[in-house]
Amino acid sequence: MEGISFKVTKAVGEKDLQLEYDLVIIGGGPAGLTAAIYASRSRMRTLLVEKEAIGGEAASTSMIENYPGFPEGISGAELAERMRSQAQKFGAQIVLATPESLDLWTEPKEVGLRGQLIRARSIIIASGTSPRKLGIPGEIELKGKGVSYCATCDGPMFAGKDIAIIGCGNSGLQEGLFILKFVKSLTMVEFLPTIQAEQILQESMRSHKNVRWLLNHETVSINGEEWVESITVKDRESGEERGLPVEGVFIYVGLKPNSDFLTGQVELNEWGFIPTNEGMQTSVPGVYAAGDIRVTEMRQVATAIGDGAVAAFSAYHYVESNERKVA
Amino acid sequence: MAHLSDEDREHLRKNFSELERPVRLIYFSQKFECQYCETTQEILSELSELSDKIALKVYDLHEDSTEAEKFGIDMIPGLVVANEKDYGIRYFGIPGGYEFSSLIEAIIDVSKGVSELSEETKQALKKLEKPIHIRVFITMSCPYCPRAVRMAHQMAMESEMVRGEMIEAAEFPQLVQRYNVGAVPKVVINDTVEFEGALPEHIFLDHVLQADGVVRGSR
């Protein structure tokens, strides 16, 4: 039995909202928080808006082992908490709220928050991604009834059970290693013939005896009445289908951009990600994108924070040059 | 050994310096067959040492059954966070891991006697006609859960009709099974309305109102 920890987090500052900011950041994951740190150090009046939990998707990562500076690894939520306190220390204001409206084309731009219209001289979109769904029968019906997208959150409830993880990328293996602390057995299912995750994660996983691998297998359906009872997988080589009794299915098959609220506001690519130039600028002047929401080769905490710093730098120069024009 | 580091204590002491009225932590425990009762009592005791505005009172679920009944506590570890008034804020199971933050916030809210809910939500809650019992299932490793718990607790503060409970899923497998909990946070209202996730305030409220409507039979 592991010792219980008691995580002391500081309450997110609920100072009164101002009516105008130099920069409004949408999204409180690593990209948005880094932008908040850099912007507030430039003395920009900075507001960060997060709809759910500080840290974004990274917050639900049980252990991040490839973020430099933490050789023992650090939990996503802990890392986010440190970034949050750093941003607030330099004066960034952070609120938990969902933007009610957004107009990127006015100058200044406008964000509807808690019934007020907030003016923003620049905007950074760091709204990130959500887990992608498989889109197979049983997935929606049994969501929360054995189907989960967050092993960190839901893993402890699957103690002593047989479970499957769909998707053998970094997320699938990372969360698999976490959930192995609880479950009886773990089956890793991967559509492709090879495992995509980092070698070091594969090595850790292979040291566990209660893990089995089904590579080159398509997950066809998730079955059960009240609760997940099994999954049906199909061997992509032989075409043979078979049932696999499990009580839990954790799905890690990629990321879907959180960009629905941006339709018609800013250019998105066919998948819904935001194209930017090297300065993180989007198709709209004064609007920048950073982190997982951006069209990029890699979606990691280490890449998101670089984006956040660049976006804040660009936003600062945009606001400053506009100021000179006015003066 | 202390559960809180010196740094955490210092931070909490500073936070608690803004406490206004006295807060009572009324804790129910039992001596046997309770995995986390002792640890829960230890952390509550550490908290109470950080401010003279926080008082811990420990009861035994069986020996002090009159008190348990008075506060509606039937599971252990069970905790009431109250000032001179009992708003209906409850914790069942250990408020450990990320959930610890919702306990700190509950203490501060209760001490101030006001929640941070919007005026609109407060008004809507005042119109509730039937008792509303909100259960929020959580795990200690869930970073999204404290937000849902705090919402339930703040609603309890704003309405005499509302009771808001945190339930640590791993400690109460029977409830997990009964309410089919497979993802957290899971919120169950009056056994009739349920949802998953830390939803924004107005959507959370919609579900509460829906439960009130169902009870009234005016769907």
Side-chain angles (χ1 to χ4, degrees):
Chain A
M1 191 67 234
E2 274 183 58
I4 304 274
S5 71
F6 295 91
K7 300 191 193 302
V8 174
T9 56
K10 291 166 209 156
V12 165
E14 295 280 333
K15 281 186 291 186
D16 287 340
L17 288 174
Q18 306 297 306
L19 285 176
E20 184 174 304
Y21 291 89
D22 295 320
L23 172 64
V24 171
I25 301 165
I26 298 172
L33 290 167
T34 306
I37 292 168
Y38 276 75
S40 51
R41 284 177 62 86
S42 303
R43 294 292 178 234
M44 294 177 91
R45 295 168 299 160
T46 303
L47 173 69
L48 183 149
V49 185
E50 162 59 42
K51 70 171 162 54
E52 203 167 43
I54 297 300
E57 269 298 292
S60 67
T61 307
S62 53
M63 187 58 79
I64 299 176
E65 289 183 327
N66 56 8
Y67 185 72
F70 295 90
E72 308 301 324
I74 183 165
S75 80
E78 167 79 30
L79 182 59
E81 169 58 22
R82 288 173 184 234
M83 292 183 187
R84 185 204 57 71
S85 96
Q86 201 172 353
Q88 284 184 317
K89 175 180 155 194
F90 296 124
Q93 188 178 349
I94 298 180
V95 293
L96 282 175
T98 310
E100 291 131 24
S101 66
L102 187 65
D103 192 341
L104 300 180
W105 287 95
T106 54
E107 205 61 69
K109 296 134 196 351
E110 292 177 340
V111 185
L113 265 188
R114 295 187 174 158
Q116 294 182 64
L117 215 48
I118 310 273
R119 293 187 298 273
R121 301 173 75 191
S122 63
I123 297 232
I124 293 176
I125 300 163
S127 50
T129 54
S130 307
R132 188 189 289 161
K133 300 211 160 44
L134 267 171
I136 58 173
E139 183 181 16
I140 304 286
E141 295 84 342
L142 293 167
K143 180 170 180 265
K145 298 177 170 56
V147 174
S148 167
Y149 302 86
C150 182
T152 309
C153 309
D154 305 331
M157 289 180 293
F158 290 81
K161 296 188 170 160
D162 298 310
I163 69 136
I165 286 183
I166 318 292
C168 293
N170 277 354
S171 305
L173 267 70
Q174 250 159 15
E175 300 315 298
L177 287 167
F178 171 75
I179 211 168
L180 274 168
K181 287 195 273 192
F182 308 100
V183 300
K184 186 165 119 203
S185 81
L186 170 59
T187 305
M188 300 292 300
V189 185
E190 170 59 49
F191 184 83
L192 298 171
T194 53
I195 303 170
Q196 307 299 305
E198 289 173 344
Q199 286 298 333
I200 191 163
L201 290 172
Q202 298 188 32
E203 287 159 18
S204 317
M205 199 101 189
R206 286 187 195 285
S207 70
H208 290 268
K209 291 205 168 63
N210 52 345
V211 178
R212 77 161 156 172
W213 303 83
L214 287 178
L215 303 183
N216 208 17
H217 274 69
E218 179 184 352
T219 310
V220 181
S221 65
I222 302 171
N223 320 306
E225 290 294 321
E226 295 281 294
W227 195 270
V228 170
E229 290 161 19
S230 69
I231 56 174
T232 304
V233 293
K234 179 176 161 185
D235 186 326
R236 293 179 64 220
E237 200 175 284
S238 66
E240 185 198 341
E241 279 191 16
R242 65 192 157 115
L244 200 74
V246 289
E247 286 181 80
V249 185
F250 291 81
I251 299 174
Y252 289 97
V253 292
L255 305 165
K256 178 175 76 63
N258 298 326
S259 59
D260 289 350
F261 69 107
L262 295 168
T263 309
Q265 292 276 342
V266 65
E267 187 193 335
L268 304 174
N269 75 359
E270 57 179 319
W271 310 106
F273 291 97
I274 305 174
T276 66
N277 65 12
E278 279 182 12
M280 305 297 143
Q281 197 197 307
T282 68
S283 59
V284 183
V287 179
Y288 305 86
D292 285 3
I293 190 71
R294 204 168 72 80
V295 175
T296 174
E297 289 293 309
M298 225 182 165
R299 294 193 168 81
Q300 292 282 300
V301 176
T303 54
I305 62 162
D307 284 6
V310 173
F313 177 80
S314 298
Y316 173 75
H317 285 286
Y318 175 81
V319 170
E320 210 197 23
S321 69
N322 270 0
E323 203 150 84
R324 273 202 301 271
K325 272 181 231 161
V326 175
Chain B
M1 205 190 81
H3 295 286
L4 295 170
S5 67
D6 289 344
E7 192 192 335
D8 287 345
R9 276 163 198 277
E10 201 38 55
H11 172 71
L12 289 172
R13 225 178 247 125
K14 215 180 286 170
N15 265 11
F16 289 155
S17 67
E18 51 180 282
L19 295 185
E20 291 167 17
R21 54 187 102 176
V23 176
R24 296 183 292 158
L25 301 177
I26 305 155
Y27 176 59
F28 291 83
S29 164
Q30 86 187 11
K31 293 182 192 77
F32 50 91
E33 285 177 5
C34 177
Q35 189 181 5
Y36 292 132
C37 277
E38 208 180 315
T39 314
T40 305
Q41 187 169 332
E42 286 163 6
I43 190 70
L44 294 176
S45 161
E46 283 184 41
L47 277 179
S48 67
E49 284 161 17
L50 296 176
S51 165
D52 54 12
K53 296 257 171 65
I54 304 174
L56 171 63
K57 175 80 190 167
V58 180
Y59 290 110
D60 183 278
L61 182 69
H62 303 288
E63 288 164 19
D64 306 302
S65 55
T66 321
E67 290 296 322
E69 208 164 300
K70 178 178 146 199
F71 288 105
I73 299 284
D74 53 3
M75 306 192 296
I76 39 103
L79 173 67
V80 179
V81 183
N83 52 31
E84 67 279 6
K85 180 179 165 186
D86 173 19
Y87 293 106
I89 296 176
R90 301 288 183 272
Y91 283 87
F92 290 110
I94 188 166
Y98 293 118
E99 203 50 50
F100 191 53
S101 70
S102 85
L103 175 60
I104 304 301
E105 287 172 335
I107 290 173
I108 295 173
D109 287 343
V110 162
S111 179
K112 292 184 172 168
V114 285
S115 78
E116 287 180 1
L117 296 176
S118 73
E119 214 36 57
E120 241 175 305
T121 306
K122 288 180 188 172
Q123 291 308 322
L125 290 171
K126 286 203 170 68
K127 292 185 191 134
L128 292 175
E129 293 182 359
K130 291 279 157 68
I132 296 286
H133 187 161
I134 309 177
R135 293 184 170 91
V136 185
F137 289 88
I138 64 109
T139 61
M140 285 186 263
S141 53
C142 165
Y144 310 104
C145 290
R147 194 154 182 229
V149 170
R150 184 163 190 233
M151 201 73 83
H153 284 163
Q154 290 191 105
M155 287 185 174
M157 284 185 69
E158 294 297 340
S159 168
E160 303 259 334
M161 291 293 178
V162 179
R163 172 175 160 127
E165 292 178 357
M166 178 215 81
I167 301 172
E168 201 274 299
E171 288 169 76
F172 301 101
Q174 330 83 296
L175 287 180
V176 164
Q177 198 167 13
R178 177 171 156 203
Y179 291 104
N180 242 346
V181 182
V184 290
K186 172 152 181 170
V187 180
V188 183
I189 309 170
N190 283 8
D191 293 6
T192 54
V193 175
E194 56 172 63
F195 63 89
E196 279 146 20
L199 299 182
E201 183 177 319
H202 67 280
I203 303 179
F204 198 121
L205 175 68
D206 285 347
H207 285 89
V208 169
L209 297 180
Q210 192 191 336
D212 191 47
V214 169
V215 174
R216 266 186 270 141
S218 61
R219 239 189 273 222

